[in-house]
Amino acid sequence: MDQLTAVLIEKYSPMLTNKQIWEYEQTHNEIKFDLLYVKPGNKDKKSWSSRLSYLDGDIRIVLMRTIDYLTDGYELWVRNSKNNQRNQDESLFSYLMALIVDIMIDEEICLKFREDENCLVLSIDTKADVIDCKEFFEAFYHLATGVNYDMYIGIPEDETEAEMYLSRLQEDFDQKMMLKLGERYLPGNTTPDSIKKKLG
């Protein structure tokens, strides 16, 4: 993994979960950002009034609509849009990193992060190999699960007990889904082919 990214992830670990992202947004109403795309090496020429800037924007909308700039090799600079909050606090960086990865997780793109001039700067890590990507996404995997890797989530350590516990969870889930979907729901790990064989 890119070294500056690894340092930043370590600094703000564990990354926020989706639940924590939602909670952060509830306590920071109408949070907006200034976003600016800059070609690497042109840092001194960057201008927040350029055609590649998006002031006071919703980061989700801007990022999804302009992702092509990242794939074309641009860096994205992100800062708080409020003048009196330009010195970003640590909680904002934690929020931004987790949110950006969550937005882009379907793209399965390994990113590079760094701090510069009170901005979070991100770009695509074009030199990342399979191991780099694995390390990067492992730092954020709990976005989907909603739990941090260092928190106890109730699964017993004993292998047999853990298997029974997970089976019970699956059965409970199956029952709820059967009530909602009826015969359209395929319980557990059953595949359509195995059901056809049983019926055939």
Side-chain angles (χ1 to χ4, degrees), residues 17-32:
T17 66
N18 272 330
K19 180 175 181 288
Q20 289 170 319
I21 289 174
W22 180 84
E23 288 170 346
Y24 189 91
E25 290 171 344
Q26 301 314 298
T27 56
H28 297 76
N29 292 335
E30 298 181 14
I31 188 168
K32 298 284 185 178

Side-chain angles (χ1 to χ4, degrees), residues 166-196:
L166 294 172
S167 295
R168 190 169 65 252
L169 285 182
Q170 181 67 57
E171 287 168 9
D172 290 345
F173 179 78
D174 287 341
Q175 285 177 359
K176 289 176 185 175
M177 293 306 291
M178 288 287 281
L179 288 172
K180 286 187 176 183
L181 300 176
E183 293 180 359
R184 289 177 294 163
Y185 177 66
L186 304 178
N189 295 318
T190 310
T191 64
D193 289 339
S194 63
I195 285 182
K196 283 179 188 172

Side-chain angles (χ1 to χ4, degrees), residues 90-106:
E90 292 194 357
S91 68
L92 193 57
F93 274 95
S94 298
Y95 165 76
L96 280 172
M97 290 171 70
L99 178 67
I100 289 165
V101 171
D102 189 44
I103 292 168
M104 299 186 63
I105 206 155
D106 288 341

Side-chain angles (χ1 to χ4, degrees), residues 112-129:
K112 292 198 297 186
F113 289 115
R114 74 173 194 275
E115 292 176 85
D116 201 336
E117 298 177 11
N118 293 320
C119 296
L120 178 68
V121 184
L122 66 128
S123 59
I124 292 175
D125 191 348
T126 55
K127 296 181 180 178
D129 57 21

